[in-house]
Amino acid sequence: MSRDTTLPGDPPQKGAPPGGRRAVAVWSIGVAVYFVAVIFRTSLGVAGLDAADRFHVNASALSTFSILQLLVYAGMQIPVGLLVDRLGTKKVLCLGAVLFTAGQLGFAFSPSYGTALASRALLGCGDAMTFISVLRLGTRWFPARRGPFVAQLAGLVGMAGNLVSTLVLARLLHGLGWTPAFAGSAVAGVVVLVLTLLFLKDHPEGHEPEPFPHQGASYVRCQIAEAWREPGTRLGMWVHFTTQFPAMVFLLLWGLPFLVQAQGLSRATAGELLTLVVLSNMAIGLVYGQVVARHHAARLPLALGTVAATALMWALTLAWPGEHAPMALLLALCVVLGACGPASMLGFDFARPANPPERQGTASGITNMGGFIASMTTLFAVGVLLDATGDDYSVAFCAVFVLQALGLTQILRLRGRAARRERERLVASRVETVHVPAV
């Protein structure tokens, strides 16, 4: 008798991938591409004040860098999901590596604000092609029961890229200067591109996906419509929307200025707190991945608990009566913000079992849009409010609560329907298994 390797709610699988050392090696190459993409994506987070001086821009214009990058990223999610479903992981990852490396190089040599914006947009386009591809690679090389842990591990490696930005790139930037730091980091993009071209494979031998007809625009409309029709896809998107953005906004742009300008910390101390967010993310990601792999029903409580804890810590920090919040509170805030990334990964655990293998890329793209749309909106709102209030961070960061409230209402609205669909699918798969004759 074969061992069941699926989680509750997962579609039935025949001949599930075996995993093993080769799977780890191939998957690691894909994750390395994502790792470098995150370094490039978050590089502006440690260079925000330098960028403002270099290009002579205010807070709103500075936020436009990250907003445009995330706008491109979010807008590319569904097209990238369709590309992954149609072309496979290797081709999409190679294209992504070429684009984000070109964007990083362009940013290094940009002589003006306009060319720097264009470079960040190109970088965002390439970055958008990485994470969905890595998720697809994991489903092709590992059994479904390992899905939550593999996805959380990919997110953990991505946060390690954020750590490199915080610790390494920041030092290079202040030691070597703008152009050498950004141009030198672009070498990493060339390295992962070569590794992908030489060694990455879309799937193990003997586990080729079943052919699926692609019929132009009708195929695109069908993929998107079918994925969106599933409550699990929409619930996954709103979970991602509500959980990811507080940490993303903090790490990507506004954390360092908030800690330095509003809380009176030195750049070195602020950098250490940003590092704490990343380390917390990595530790909590391992915990969340293991918990969900063992207890599938823990997905929603973990997501809602993270939202509640994040809102509470931001409320305490912003409402603190003194001129600056105490260091203990800032430490607690950064630890809790570290849970946002792992919680956002839970969105994929709602979308994955709701869609068949040939639609996984599209469903993941829809889910992944959520957090980046929320991040983009909040980045813009914080920048506008800072300019309007004379750099009052207590007012500007209240935008976090508005986005959390919106996302929370949608999660509560969809959770019942998504749970019913999962139960129906599980019952149907069991009935189908019972009626399939043994061979």
Side-chain angles (χ1 to χ4, degrees), residues 49-73:
L49 298 177
D50 299 89
D53 292 337
R54 179 180 176 87
F55 300 113
H56 310 291
V57 295
N58 60 13
S60 296
L62 181 61
S63 68
T64 303
F65 278 122
S66 296
I67 291 168
L68 178 62
Q69 183 178 332
L70 294 184
L71 177 64
V72 172
Y73 187 104

Side-chain angles (χ1 to χ4, degrees), residues 227-228 230-246 299-300 303-304 306-307 340 343-351 363-375 377-378 400-415 417-418:
W228 182 257
E230 290 291 342
T233 305
R234 284 175 280 144
L235 178 60
M237 185 195 74
W238 283 109
V239 167
H240 199 270
F241 177 100
T242 313
T243 54
Q244 187 206 44
F245 79 93
R299 295 169 299 170
L300 197 59
L304 295 177
T306 301
V307 173
C340 292
S344 71
M345 297 297 297
L346 300 173
F348 299 101
D349 292 322
F350 288 102
S364 296
I366 293 173
T367 301
N368 209 27
M369 284 177 60
F372 288 93
I373 290 174
S375 298
T377 303
T378 309
V400 170
F401 304 121
V402 177
L403 273 291
Q404 283 185 321
L406 172 62
L408 189 59
T409 58
Q410 295 301 315
I411 291 172
L412 297 177
R413 182 178 69 86
L414 289 165
R415 62 176 180 170
R417 273 181 278 177

